[in-house]
Amino acid sequence: MRAPQGEEEDSAFEIVRFAINADEEALERDRARDGWVGHPPWLMWFCGEHLALGKELADLHWREAGERLRTDRR
């Protein structure tokens, strides 16, 4: 998702989806089937400044990616 037209790029945010394990995949399917609405932890919002880093880590499990994001302060 991007910022509305006319807003500066620095205020734009985008969701990055990180990898999940088999149990989390099953949970996601169950939630989708049941019409669950919410924000799972493997989807994270990133501002324009940190979006590239988030995308670099998207292939990692969300817990590992989160840990790296906390320690890598580019």
Side-chain angles (χ1 to χ4, degrees), residues 2-73:
R2 305 297 289 169
Q5 191 172 17
E7 288 193 23
E8 293 185 28
E9 186 63 26
D10 289 344
S11 66
F13 287 84
E14 189 171 327
I15 290 181
V16 174
R17 179 188 171 90
F18 294 91
I20 57 178
N21 63 33
D23 289 337
E24 293 160 339
E25 287 177 7
L27 176 63
E28 188 172 52
R29 283 191 304 273
D30 290 345
R31 287 177 170 177
R33 183 191 64 237
D34 295 341
W36 184 82
V37 177
H39 185 83
W42 49 85
L43 298 177
M44 297 182 199
W45 286 99
F46 286 86
C47 66
E49 180 182 350
H50 297 102
L51 182 59
L53 177 58
K55 287 181 176 182
E56 279 180 35
L57 301 175
D59 290 339
L60 298 177
H61 184 269
W62 64 272
R63 289 182 194 270
E64 182 180 353
E67 185 59 34
R68 289 208 190 167
L69 288 164
R70 280 186 286 282
T71 59
D72 186 352
R73 303 278 186 194

